[in-house]
Amino acid sequence: MSPKHVVFKKVSRDKSVTVYMAKRDFVDHCDFVDPVDGVIVIDPVQLKGKKVYVMLSCTFRYGRQDMDVMGVAFRRDLFLVTRQVYPELQDKEKLTHTKIQQKLLRKLGNNAFPFFFEFPDNLPCSITLQPGLSDVGKKCAVEFEVKAFCGENQDEKIDKQSSVRLTIRKIQFSPEDSKLLPSAETTFEFLMSEKPLHVKLSLPKETFYHGEPLKANVEITNSSSRNIKDISLSVEQVTHVILYSNDKYVKSVAKEETSDSVPCGTSLKQEYTLHPLLAYNKDRRGLALDGRLKHEDTNLASSSMMVGSSEVSLEVPFRLMHPKPEPAKDSESDDMVFEEFKRAYLKGVVYGDDDESPTDA
């Protein structure tokens, strides 16, 4: 039995425009990003001679939507492109790029029209900063959205009744595991000590998956005249926010404090285990998380760094990511299952009680 395509569908309130998309997660493969493609079905009677446009946007929000200072909203469009879909500026064959578009056009008829966008280089992935317990409203985040609307021209005020907004995500998976074994070492000379202290920190691999315990190997050779005690390790998430203030936030997401000691003239070789999990950090305001999801359904964002603390410390960077899934098998069948494009289908998405998108026009 041939597998069926699951296609998401969303209709404008006045029934003039319906959008069909085969997925809502688009993967950044580093050298290219999955293009955003879909099909729009229009109702010429409801349109009343108006044109139909599709917009792809990436927005950085750094304050609540209702915050406005001297007419300046706390948001910035990182990328915004709008294309006219109807009346079509080229014939459908030239505008059709993917197999799923071809299948949808065959199934949906003459009032169906394709749209296609490519992401520019260097756009961030979907990410949100975890709010505090007392925070309300929409939070600091990078959000992506596809918006279809009709009007006399693309610059006129968008009527919510004749528009469709669809929240999508730009995501990344772990690359092929490299043979690099991250490590760092240092030699520290204490005052009034003739010989130094040598410390080495290493990890068994460069990439760890979300939920996986992190093993860290510590080697200390204490040739100094001082006794070393209370060895501590931590996994720290470093978040750079460069769009409005060039801020850098460093937050510990896992910590191991021990009473292990290395008396003078001795050595220590020990493996420690840390657990960098969101489950242990749910109330930590400002942590970077993947996407805009509920705490229990998401995870810490990538790009973490492990450091030691105290007067002798080392840093070893590593990657924290999701494994790359097996590619889906493409079916030649035209059988399709249509599902309503609601936030409930994007696991754990939280935007509020309304059914509008996270960003306003």
Side-chain angles (χ1 to χ4, degrees):
M1 185 175 179
S2 300
K4 295 183 178 180
H5 297 280
V6 176
V7 178
F8 293 102
K9 165 188 174 183
K10 193 167 185 182
V11 188
S12 65
R13 292 177 184 174
D14 65 3
K15 313 297 183 185
S16 61
V17 178
T18 305
V19 179
Y20 296 83
M21 295 182 68
K23 59 183 178 180
R24 61 187 313 167
D25 284 341
F26 298 85
V27 180
D28 183 346
H29 301 272
C30 294
D31 53 345
F32 75 97
V33 184
D34 292 345
V36 177
D37 64 285
V39 167
I40 283 185
V41 175
I42 59 100
D43 183 339
V45 175
Q46 293 289 340
L47 283 181
K48 300 176 182 177
K50 293 182 178 180
K51 299 176 182 178
V52 177
Y53 302 91
V54 178
M55 175 191 297
L56 173 64
S57 64
C58 172
T59 302
F60 174 60
R61 180 187 304 283
Y62 48 99
R64 298 198 313 271
Q65 187 166 311
D66 58 357
M67 292 176 66
D68 191 299
V69 179
M70 298 180 67
V72 178
F74 283 74
R75 51 168 288 175
R76 179 182 298 180
D77 289 325
L78 306 182
F79 176 71
L80 187 67
V81 62
T82 304
R83 293 193 177 135
Q84 181 177 318
V85 177
Y86 174 83
E88 65 268 45
L89 301 178
Q90 294 177 287
D91 59 34
K92 291 182 183 180
E93 290 187 3
K94 292 182 179 180
L95 294 171
T96 304
H97 294 263
T98 63
K99 289 183 178 179
I100 191 66
Q101 284 181 317
Q102 294 172 359
K103 295 171 182 177
L104 282 169
L105 291 173
R106 285 198 297 266
K107 189 174 187 67
L108 298 174
N110 293 331
N111 287 330
F113 302 89
F115 64 87
F116 184 89
F117 295 98
E118 291 184 296
F119 286 103
D121 295 335
N122 302 322
L123 277 183
C125 288
S126 299
I127 195 168
T128 185
L129 297 187
Q130 180 165 259
L133 295 177
S134 60
D135 291 339
V136 296
K138 296 173 181 179
K139 313 306 184 300
C140 183
V142 174
E143 301 166 329
F144 291 84
E145 180 182 79
V146 172
K147 183 189 301 180
F149 60 96
C150 61
E152 299 294 339
N153 60 71
Q154 69 180 53
D155 298 320
E156 74 175 45
K157 185 179 173 89
I158 297 174
D159 180 5
K160 289 185 178 181
Q161 298 295 321
S162 58
S163 66
V164 176
R165 291 170 169 176
L166 310 101
T167 305
I168 62 173
R169 290 188 299 198
K170 180 172 176 282
I171 61 176
Q172 262 188 331
F173 294 117
S174 170
E176 296 296 328
D177 197 20
S178 68
K179 299 188 182 298
L180 177 66
L181 302 180
S183 66
E185 53 188 306
T186 187
T187 298
F188 191 84
E189 295 184 357
F190 296 105
L191 188 65
M192 307 297 293
S193 179
E194 294 182 358
K195 295 183 179 180
L197 170 75
H198 186 78
V199 181
K200 181 178 181 181
L201 174 63
S202 61
L203 303 178
K205 57 183 179 178
E206 185 181 20
T207 301
F208 290 83
Y209 299 141
H210 293 291
E212 181 181 4
L214 188 148
K215 307 285 187 179
N217 298 297
V218 176
E219 298 179 34
I220 301 176
T221 301
N222 186 9
S223 302
S224 73
S225 57
R226 293 185 56 173
N227 293 327
I228 304 302
K229 59 181 180 178
D230 299 332
I231 299 171
S232 296
L233 296 94
S234 70
V235 175
E236 294 191 346
Q237 182 188 75
V238 182
T239 305
H240 294 272
V241 182
I242 62 174
L243 291 166
Y244 63 95
S245 60
N246 201 23
D247 288 343
K248 176 181 177 180
Y249 303 98
V250 181
K251 296 180 180 291
S252 175
V253 295
K255 194 164 187 177
E256 179 73 14
E257 295 181 323
T258 77
S259 57
D260 293 348
S261 61
V262 189
C264 59
T266 66
S267 299
L268 172 76
K269 193 179 279 191
Q270 181 70 40
E271 180 183 80
Y272 297 93
T273 302
L274 297 101
H275 300 273
L277 298 171
L278 180 58
Y280 302 146
N281 296 276
K282 284 187 175 182
D283 299 329
R284 298 284 307 285
R285 186 177 189 272
L287 285 183
L289 312 179
D290 274 349
R292 191 177 174 83
L293 308 176
K294 289 181 181 177
H295 299 171
E296 64 268 28
D297 290 327
T298 189
N299 44 259
L300 300 169
S302 301
S303 297
S304 297
M305 181 172 288
M306 178 174 177
V307 302
S309 59
S310 190
E311 56 184 303
V312 180
S313 64
L314 287 175
E315 296 182 355
V316 178
F318 66 95
R319 288 193 291 250
L320 185 63
M321 303 186 75
H322 287 291
K324 187 176 181 179
E326 293 293 326
K329 293 182 179 179
D330 190 26
S331 170
E332 295 301 322
S333 171
D334 282 349
D335 290 342
M336 298 181 184
V337 176
F338 295 106
E339 292 185 354
E340 289 298 317
F341 199 111
K342 296 180 179 178
R343 291 198 188 92
Y345 289 102
L346 184 56
K347 187 178 179 184
V349 169
V350 179
Y351 293 121
D353 297 329
D354 64 347
D355 194 34
E356 296 302 324
S357 71
T359 55
D360 284 342

